[in-house]
């Protein structure tokens, strides 16, 4: 009898021990630091000065620059100190001494100087190079008009000295963008899985249906990177990719990795896991400079004022994006009085210009890969056609000769004034204030994008920078 009691007691202890071990094992498995997400199945270009849509989401995990953008300023990354002159024309970046590439080679201020010069010469991303053209003689160097010694990028010891041709009070924010990342000279000839990187992760596997990133142990701040791996499923269909989230096959879903499909926006809005972040990404409609229609000439500011007056960015943010993305400038829903007045002024302008619509419609173009651009464009044109009886055809054909184009620009900083700089550079203006912008209206401003994300509750430390970048190195799985 005593033996039976003793045996039962031992069996009970063993069960408790087994249950405790099993629970501990499950808890450890739950906290395994592997993050799962999805990206579109496409060809990826992993070069910081030559990337396309979605590439940036990967690039910002594999490479980094002097700073990272955060709300209201920057975080020091590969620098220990940043100084600037009182007039904001001279900037001094003191680099860390423990920076290395993923192959163990040292990164120095000279690495940055050579990389920036290489980007000026060889990067095809003209809209990104605009950011670099604030550096003294940078634009002339890109056009082979001056030597590299005349460019305002100099090195002293491990300090990078940059001279600008115009005061930029937040230039430390500008250098957070990928165009300013350092480049390893061997990367152009290396396969994706062999790329030499300098951020928290490196590529472990690059396959047709999956990309695996693993922790870069040579990273200067590797001790504070908790994730061991990032498992990225490459999924061709957006709906299929979205459905992976409620099935707990992925931890994060949303831009910049994979935008929530329009067909699922309403459903996503009801989920408690939905988060909305403001991003400094601006949508606008341009009238191309090469347009030969006299009525649409860039000098016709009055026409642009009328087109802007009847536009409805408030509707776009509330109904199309369904996340209350704000208009770039205050622009309430146009009242019936405003629409009626605009119609009358348009008719007067037609008479003054002695203008009659041509038999063939005007052409408005959007990017074939962006359903959002198409919907925003159609929404705007609907107001124009209704108010002014414009004959307009919508297309995504690349070679189409266009009258209107919808565009977007990721400012990459915290300052709206940097959007004015970009528009001025692109359209030959000199706009520095909101008043100057609205007086000239070089483009028809629409809205600033809010980005929507789905995130499971066991993922902590996620933040979205004003540039839309997500730095996975700060994530912890609990």
């Amino acid at each position: 009898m005593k033996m039976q009691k003793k045996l039962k007691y031992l069996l009970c202890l063993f069960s408790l021990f087994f249950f405790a071990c099993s629970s501990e094992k499950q808890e450890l498995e739950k906290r395994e630091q592997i993050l799962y997400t999805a990206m579109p199945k496409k060809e990826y270009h992993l070069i910081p000065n030559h990337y396309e849509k979605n590439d940036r989401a990967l690039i910002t995990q594999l490479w980094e620059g002097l700073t990272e953008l955060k709300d209201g300023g920057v975080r020091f990354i590969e620098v220990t100190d940043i100084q600037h002159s009182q007039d904001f024309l001279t900037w001094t970046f003191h680099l860390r001494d423990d920076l290395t590439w993923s192959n163990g080679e040292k990164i120095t201020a000279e690495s940055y100087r050579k990389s920036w010069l290489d980007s000026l010469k060889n990067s095809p991303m003209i809209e990104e190079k605009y950011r670099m053209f604030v550096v003294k003689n940078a634009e002339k160097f890109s056009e082979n008009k001056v030597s590299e010694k005349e460019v305002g990028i100099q090195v002293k010891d491990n300090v990078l000295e940059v001279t600008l041709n115009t005061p930029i009070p937040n230039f430390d924010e500008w250098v957070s963008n990928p165009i300013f990342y350092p480049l390893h000279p061997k990367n152009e000839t290396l396969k994706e899985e062999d790329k030499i990187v300098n951020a928290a992760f490196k590529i472990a596997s690059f396959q047709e249906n999956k990309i695996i990133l693993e922790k870069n142990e040579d990273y200067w701040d590797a001790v504070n990177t908790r994730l061991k791996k990032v498992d990225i499923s490459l999924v061709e269909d957006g709906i299929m990719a979205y459905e992976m989230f409620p099935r707990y096959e992925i931890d994060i879903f949303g831009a910049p990795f994979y935008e929530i499909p329009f067909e699922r926006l309403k459903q996503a809005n009801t989920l408690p896991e939905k988060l909305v972040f403001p991003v400094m990404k601006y949508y606008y409609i341009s009238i191309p400079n090469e347009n030969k229609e006299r009525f649409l000439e860039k000098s016709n500011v009055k026409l642009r004022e009328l087109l802007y007056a009847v536009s409805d960015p408030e509707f776009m943010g509330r109904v199309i994006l369904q996340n209350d993305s704000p208009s770039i400038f205050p622009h309430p829903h146009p009242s019936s009085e405003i629409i009626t007045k605009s119609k009358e002024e348009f008719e007067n302008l037609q008479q003054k210009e002695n203008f009659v619509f041509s038999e063939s419609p005007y052409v408005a173009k959007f990017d074939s890969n962006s359903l959002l651009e198409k919907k925003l464009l159609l929404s705007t044109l609907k107001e124009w056609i209704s108010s002014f009886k414009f004959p307009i055809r919508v297309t995504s054909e690349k070679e189409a000769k266009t009258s209107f184009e919808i565009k977007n620009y990721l400012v990459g900083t915290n300052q709206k004034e940097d959007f004015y700089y970009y528009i001025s550079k692109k359209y030959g203006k000199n706009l520095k204030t909101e008043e100057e912008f609205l007086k000239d209206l070089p483009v028809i401003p629409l809205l600033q994008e809010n980005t929507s994300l789905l995130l499971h509750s066991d993922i902590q430390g996620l933040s979205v920078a004003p540039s839309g970048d997500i730095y996975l190195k700060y994530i912890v799985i609990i």
Side-chain angles (χ1 to χ4, degrees), residues 326-340:
S327 56
I328 297 177
F329 303 110
H331 192 294
H333 177 77
S335 63
S336 57
E337 291 81 7
I338 290 176
I339 293 175
T340 299

Side-chain angles (χ1 to χ4, degrees), residues 184-362:
H184 194 283
K186 293 182 180 178
N187 273 348
E188 286 191 17
T189 60
L190 296 178
K191 296 179 180 178
E192 263 58 39
E193 57 266 32
D194 298 325
K195 297 287 189 187
I196 300 170
V197 299
N198 72 318
F201 300 97
K202 59 184 180 181
I203 300 173
S205 176
F206 202 98
Q207 305 298 325
E208 182 182 358
N209 296 313
K210 189 178 287 290
I211 299 174
I212 304 290
L213 308 183
E214 65 181 4
K215 181 177 176 180
N216 176 13
E217 298 294 348
D218 290 307
Y219 180 53
W220 67 270
D221 196 31
V223 66
N224 289 315
T225 303
R226 295 290 299 274
L227 289 181
K228 301 298 182 185
K229 288 184 179 180
V230 180
D231 185 305
I232 305 169
S233 297
L234 300 180
V235 186
E236 195 164 357
D237 181 82
I239 303 296
M240 289 176 59
Y242 170 86
E243 295 299 336
M244 295 174 72
F245 181 81
R247 294 199 300 261
Y248 280 81
E249 295 173 15
I250 55 177
D251 303 302
I252 297 175
F253 189 82
F257 297 96
Y258 213 139
E259 291 182 356
I260 298 174
F262 278 96
E263 299 89 338
R264 293 293 182 269
L265 273 180
K266 187 174 182 180
Q267 180 186 20
N269 286 338
T270 65
L271 298 177
E273 299 97 338
K274 181 191 172 186
L275 301 172
V276 177
F277 297 87
V279 173
M280 296 288 283
K281 185 177 182 180
Y282 292 166
Y283 286 85
Y284 62 91
I285 293 179
S286 71
I287 301 174
N289 288 340
E290 64 272 13
N291 205 304
K292 302 303 180 185
E293 288 279 0
R294 185 167 58 86
F295 194 56
L296 297 178
E297 284 179 349
K298 58 183 178 180
S299 59
N300 201 336
V301 178
K302 184 60 180 178
L303 173 63
R304 297 197 294 275
E305 287 179 357
L306 296 175
L307 294 176
Y308 182 51
V310 302
S311 300
D312 196 353
E314 181 183 297
F315 170 84
M316 299 173 195
R318 189 180 70 253
V319 178
I320 296 180
L321 273 79
Q322 300 183 35
N323 60 13
D324 293 322
S325 291
S327 56
I328 297 177
F329 303 110
H331 192 294
H333 177 77
S335 63
S336 57
E337 291 81 7
I338 290 176
I339 293 175
T340 299
K341 182 181 177 182
S342 297
K343 286 180 179 179
E344 293 173 354
E345 292 186 9
F346 183 79
E347 290 172 359
N348 292 334
L349 184 61
Q350 277 185 294
Q351 293 177 2
K352 180 181 176 181
E353 296 281 342
N354 192 26
F355 174 78
V356 179
F357 290 126
S358 62
E359 293 184 5
S360 57
Y362 297 97

Side-chain angles (χ1 to χ4, degrees), residues 426-439:
K426 186 170 183 179
Y427 295 94
K429 303 291 181 178
N430 186 25
L431 310 173
K432 296 183 179 179
T433 67
E434 178 178 328
E435 291 74 20
E436 290 175 345
F437 195 106
L438 292 175
K439 183 179 180 181

